[in-house]
Amino acid sequence: MKDAHGNKLTGRTSWRRFAVLCVPGVAVTAALAIALANGALAASFAVSGQQFKVSASSLDGDGFAQYGSVDRNARGKLIPVAVTAIKTAKMKKLCQSVVTDLPVLGSVSLNLTAGTGKKPVEASDLFVDATQLSGDAGFHKIEIGRDASTLDKGPKGGQGLQDLFGQQADDVHITQLKQTAWATNAGTFRLAGLSMKVNKGTKECF
């Protein structure tokens, strides 16, 4: 992103702050619920009752869009989220973790890592439904405050509801990425150097 003098702008994105802008309260959540019931929003699957954490040392993406939406769990509960949609993305040192509390055993952590060597993790048509994101971010040709229904730089289907806040850019670069999410969708997802481990106790990416 550049200012009026042509200088590139970078900054730290607060996902919780963005989520508040996208889904500001009960009234909007109710409107989203009605839209979901009428088929205006497509929930690809019911999300679990657990959020998971994802971190990466860097993310480089082309075709970037962000907007507010909702997920739905198996009980029919609607969950406000902020969606990041990216046409193609490459991530280095990817980590994903989720902690489950089980009877008798207590806390059990599932940890996944990839892209720790020379080859990065690669994804296309990537959608992340998150409630928190942080990192140092830079954008090129960013549009902030665009109607979410008119977003056209992200992957196919990367639009929100009419009149809601959205933003998009030609590309995005984020370092020290940390996010908490309910769901991830991707057309393709290539995990170079994949490693998955189950550990007793709490062991999270951050």
Side-chain angles (χ1 to χ4, degrees):
M1 180 170 65
K2 296 182 180 180
D3 60 18
H5 303 289
N7 298 314
K8 186 177 181 180
L9 300 178
T10 60
R12 181 174 294 273
T13 300
S14 170
W15 204 261
R16 289 191 185 279
R17 191 175 300 117
F18 178 76
V20 169
L21 290 172
C22 291
V23 189
V26 175
V28 173
T29 303
L32 289 170
I34 294 171
L36 237 178
N38 292 334
L41 295 179
S44 59
F45 58 85
V47 301
S48 74
Q50 297 175 281
Q51 295 190 76
F52 55 92
K53 293 185 176 181
V54 177
S55 66
S57 62
S58 67
L59 180 151
D60 288 284
D62 290 323
F64 168 85
Q66 289 180 332
Y67 52 93
S69 188
V70 293
D71 283 341
R72 181 166 49 187
N73 65 18
R75 300 177 186 274
K77 180 182 178 181
L78 298 177
I79 304 167
V81 294
V83 178
T84 292
I86 304 176
K87 281 186 178 179
T88 61
K90 293 183 178 180
M91 292 164 278
K92 294 181 179 179
K93 295 183 179 179
L94 176 71
C95 173
Q96 179 178 304
S97 64
V98 62
V99 179
T100 302
D101 292 320
L102 298 175
V104 182
L105 288 177
S107 296
V108 176
S109 301
L110 174 64
N111 296 84
L112 179 152
T113 59
T116 57
K118 293 183 179 180
K119 291 184 178 181
V121 171
E122 297 181 345
S124 65
D125 297 333
L126 178 66
F127 291 81
V128 181
D129 302 355
T131 57
Q132 177 273 333
L133 180 148
S134 65
D136 294 313
F139 305 90
H140 183 233
K141 293 186 179 179
I142 192 168
E143 300 172 350
I144 301 173
R146 181 164 174 155
D147 188 298
S149 68
T150 70
L151 298 174
D152 57 9
K153 291 188 176 184
K156 183 178 180 180
Q159 297 91 26
L161 288 177
Q162 186 175 344
D163 296 330
L164 289 190
F165 177 94
Q167 59 183 10
Q168 63 178 6
D170 284 357
D171 54 63
V172 58
H173 173 72
I174 304 175
T175 57
Q176 302 307 314
L177 169 69
K178 296 178 181 179
Q179 63 182 359
T180 305
W182 285 104
T184 296
N185 289 304
T188 62
F189 207 42
R190 297 184 176 90
L191 300 168
L194 172 64
S195 175
M196 187 178 70
K197 295 181 180 179
V198 177
N199 303 283
K200 290 190 66 174
T202 300
K203 185 178 180 181
E204 298 183 284
C205 297
F206 60 89

